[in-house]
């Protein structure tokens, strides 16, 4: 693999940047692999990358029915944080955060991870009690987190309306300084390039249409390009996970919902952190290009639509303008929707299944992007060893039978 560097930029400038190496190959599917990953988004590509890098399993295929990063990896608001309430979630997202902090160097690919901090606002006394509880839990787990009062919020975000006359007065916030944002496309491309360099075959425009299962054991997949065999298959297909589970003959406790977001026209830099409000129901950051990146919660109905709708946009913008009247005359540029799979306890599923050798990584709701490196890392370890990684083990589908749920509706309140 051709390494990227400043010297390389100068060298290729002499040839008008026409001789860069392709970032990944376009191979023909082999008849069989050691491991098949279904889903070429960030989590699937990260799984393949860590399988090859950490565990030496390079005979791996990533099967993607569309194009790399064309699903939820490219349809989110790029927020990265790890300040979840319960130990199980905190360990998983903090594991991801530590990988985020060295990811550009590890991949030799600039994922533009910017630790500009994330703020969760409190507007009521109960909000502030919940914030105090979560910050205390985060600190006990070694996660950076602090409570801000109104003055502290105003100092970090001077353009926010923190006056007493605001419809939703700001009483304070939780603040995680190490949190931030990253460039979503670059994450998918960086993992794809790294995995390809280690020997992983990335098969785009290849759709799984069924599983080869005999006597309760997976033997491969049926695709629109023919059958491909493997005794270990990991499904990381976000909103289509329920469809895949149905092909394998079982059901998952998932609902697929559209999640909408939008960006504004570019404006001068005015917001250098991420602001979230579960109560007012919206979150906003500003990209390096100057766009305001805005999102809210999932749509209330089930569906697979990837288009926005005006009622949701209107509701979201009402929330943002409540907090930032300065944005009231900014024009919106474009909107989109992604398909997220949500679990009843607002936590993901990383688990074995009733079919031996078939694993699922799904149910992330709107928390998937921030977990990308950690999810891929622990899922790769689980596929390589045949046992779930200790960080992934609490997220088994068995919790819906045992009752050992991990209720993160509070920490993921905007999303779910």
């Amino acid at each position: 693999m051709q390494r990227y560097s400043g010297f390389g930029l100068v060298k290729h400038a002499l040839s008008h940047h026409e001789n860069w190496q392709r970032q990944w190959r376009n191979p023909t599917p082999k008849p069989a692999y050691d491991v098949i990953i279904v889903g070429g988004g960030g989590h699937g590509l990260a799984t393949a990358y860590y399988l090859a890098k950490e565990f030496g399993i390079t005979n791996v295929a990533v099967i993607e029915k569309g194009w790399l990063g064309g699903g939820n990896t490219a349809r989110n608001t790029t927020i990265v944080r790890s300040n979840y309430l319960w130990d199980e979630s905190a360990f998983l997202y903090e594991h991801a955060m530590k990988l985020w902090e060295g990811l550009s160097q590890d991949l030799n690919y600039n994922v533009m991870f910017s630790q500009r901090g994330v703020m969760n606002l409190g507007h009521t006394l109960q909000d502030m009690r919940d914030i105090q509880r979560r910050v205390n839990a985060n600190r006990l787990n070694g996660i950076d987190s602090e409570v801000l009062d109104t003055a502290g919020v105003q100092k970090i975000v001077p353009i926010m309306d923190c006056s007493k006359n605001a419809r939703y007065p700001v009483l304070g916030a939780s603040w995680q300084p190490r949190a931030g944002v990253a460039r979503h496309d670059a994450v998918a491309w960086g993992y794809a390039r790294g995995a390809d360099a280690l020997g992983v075959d990335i098969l785009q425009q290849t759709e799984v249409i069924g599983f080869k299962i005999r006597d309760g054991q997976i033997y491969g997949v049926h695709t629109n390009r023919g059958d491909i065999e493997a005794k270990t298959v990991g499904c990381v297909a976000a909103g289509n996970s329920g469809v895949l589970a149905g092909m394998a003959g079982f059901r998952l406790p998932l609902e697929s919902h559209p999640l909408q977001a939008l960006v504004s026209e570019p404006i001068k830099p005015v917001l250098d952190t991420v602001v979230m409000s579960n109560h007012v129901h919206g979150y906003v950051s500003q990209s390096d290009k100057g766009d305001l990146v805005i999102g809210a919660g999932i749509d209330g109905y089930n569906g697979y639509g990837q288009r926005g709708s005006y009622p949701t946009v209107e509701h979201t913008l009402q929330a943002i303008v409540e907090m930032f009247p300065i944005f009231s005359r900014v024009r919106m540029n474009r909107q989109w929707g992604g398909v997220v799979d949500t679990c009843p306890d607002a936590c993901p599923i990383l688990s074995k299944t009733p079919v031996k050798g078939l694993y699922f990584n799904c149910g992330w709701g709107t928390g998937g992007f921030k977990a990308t490196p950690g999810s891929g890392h622990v899922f790769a370890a689980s596929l390589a060893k045949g046992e779930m990684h200790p960080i992934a083990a609490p997220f088994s589908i068995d919790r819906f039978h045992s009752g050992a749920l991990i209720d993160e509706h509070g920490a993921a309140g905007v999303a779910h």
Side-chain angles (χ1 to χ4, degrees):
M1 177 176 66
Q2 192 177 53
R3 286 190 63 78
Y4 293 154
S5 65
F7 174 76
L9 279 175
V10 174
K11 175 185 172 184
H12 285 281
L14 299 175
S15 58
H16 306 285
H17 295 288
E18 294 179 348
N19 297 314
W20 286 101
Q21 183 185 46
R22 285 185 178 273
Q23 296 197 66
W24 53 82
R25 299 165 292 126
N26 185 24
T28 301
K30 299 177 188 175
Y33 292 88
D34 293 333
V35 179
I36 289 174
I37 306 297
V38 182
H43 289 229
L45 292 165
T47 302
Y49 173 74
Y50 291 118
L51 271 172
K53 178 175 180 278
E54 302 279 339
F55 303 99
I57 301 175
T58 59
N59 189 26
V60 177
V62 177
I63 298 178
E64 168 56 47
K65 71 176 182 179
W67 62 91
L68 296 187
N72 288 355
T73 302
R75 297 173 179 274
N76 62 79
T77 48
T78 76
I79 298 171
V80 176
R81 62 184 175 92
S82 63
N83 56 347
Y84 279 71
L85 175 63
W86 297 107
D87 292 352
E88 296 88 346
S89 304
F91 293 155
L92 178 57
Y93 285 99
E94 181 62 14
H95 182 59
M97 179 67 81
K98 290 175 179 174
L99 291 171
W100 275 114
E101 290 176 323
L103 191 59
S104 291
Q105 291 75 21
D106 182 29
L107 296 176
N108 181 230
Y109 203 100
N110 186 6
V111 300
M112 300 176 69
F113 179 47
S114 170
Q115 292 178 290
R116 59 186 67 180
V118 169
M119 182 182 292
N120 293 86
L121 299 177
H123 301 275
T124 67
L125 183 58
Q126 185 59 48
D127 281 352
M128 294 309 299
R129 287 172 176 158
D130 294 340
I131 284 171
Q132 287 278 5
R133 181 188 181 200
R134 181 146 60 99
V135 167
N136 290 338
N138 291 159
R139 288 184 171 181
L140 288 171
N141 282 320
I143 296 171
D144 62 313
S145 190
E146 56 188 278
V147 178
L148 301 175
D149 59 15
T150 308
V153 172
Q154 190 79 85
K155 182 178 180 181
I156 295 173
V157 190
I159 62 171
M160 188 188 303
D161 181 6
C162 293
S163 69
K164 294 180 180 178
N165 297 325
R167 184 177 182 185
Y168 300 99
V170 176
L171 303 185
S174 68
W175 169 245
Q176 186 181 19
R178 288 167 59 235
V181 296
R183 170 73 190 273
H184 43 29
D185 294 330
V187 175
W189 299 336
Y191 273 122
R193 175 172 172 265
D196 178 85
L198 294 169
V200 172
D201 281 357
I202 298 171
L203 310 174
Q204 299 182 77
Q205 305 297 325
T206 305
E207 181 176 1
V208 170
I209 54 178
F211 293 101
K212 300 178 70 174
I213 299 171
R214 292 195 304 272
D215 300 325
Q217 163 77 47
I218 190 89
Y219 284 92
V221 296
H222 304 293
T223 80
N224 60 345
R225 299 175 69 183
D227 292 356
I228 305 174
E229 295 190 351
K231 290 188 176 180
T232 301
V233 176
C235 293
V236 198
N240 285 309
S241 297
V243 177
L244 288 173
M247 292 180 186
F250 57 90
R251 297 182 65 187
L252 292 172
L254 296 174
E255 288 187 352
S256 294
H257 291 259
L259 173 69
Q260 301 184 37
L262 59 150
V263 296
S264 74
E265 60 182 342
I267 59 176
K268 290 182 178 179
V270 292
L271 182 63
D272 60 359
T273 188
V274 181
V275 177
M276 309 178 68
S277 171
N278 295 1
H279 195 98
V280 181
H281 211 233
Y283 43 89
V284 59
S285 63
Q286 188 170 21
S287 75
D288 294 335
K289 294 187 299 180
D291 311 339
L292 297 176
V293 184
I294 296 170
I298 59 176
D299 288 6
Y301 52 85
N302 297 349
Y304 293 92
Q306 293 184 317
R307 301 174 64 182
S309 63
Y310 287 115
T312 299
V313 170
E314 185 178 24
H315 169 79
T316 304
L317 292 180
Q318 282 175 342
I320 298 303
V321 173
E322 286 285 348
M323 295 186 287
F324 297 95
I326 191 176
F327 294 154
S328 63
R329 293 178 181 272
V330 177
R331 290 173 292 189
M332 291 297 108
N333 199 5
R334 60 190 173 88
Q335 64 190 89
W336 66 90
V339 184
V340 297
D341 47 332
T342 62
C343 281
D345 60 354
C347 275
I349 292 172
L350 295 103
S351 181
K352 297 180 177 181
T353 70
V355 179
K356 187 177 180 182
L358 179 61
Y359 299 76
F360 267 72
N361 180 349
C362 58
W364 289 92
T366 62
F369 181 74
K370 63 178 71 66
T372 301
S375 163
H377 190 264
V378 300
F379 198 51
S382 304
L383 297 181
K385 297 181 178 180
E387 292 295 331
M388 300 310 296
H389 187 281
I391 292 178
F395 299 95
S396 166
I397 55 175
D398 292 339
R399 73 180 190 269
F400 298 99
H401 295 281
S402 68
L405 304 178
I406 309 165
D407 185 1
E408 285 289 359
H409 282 280
V414 171
H416 304 281

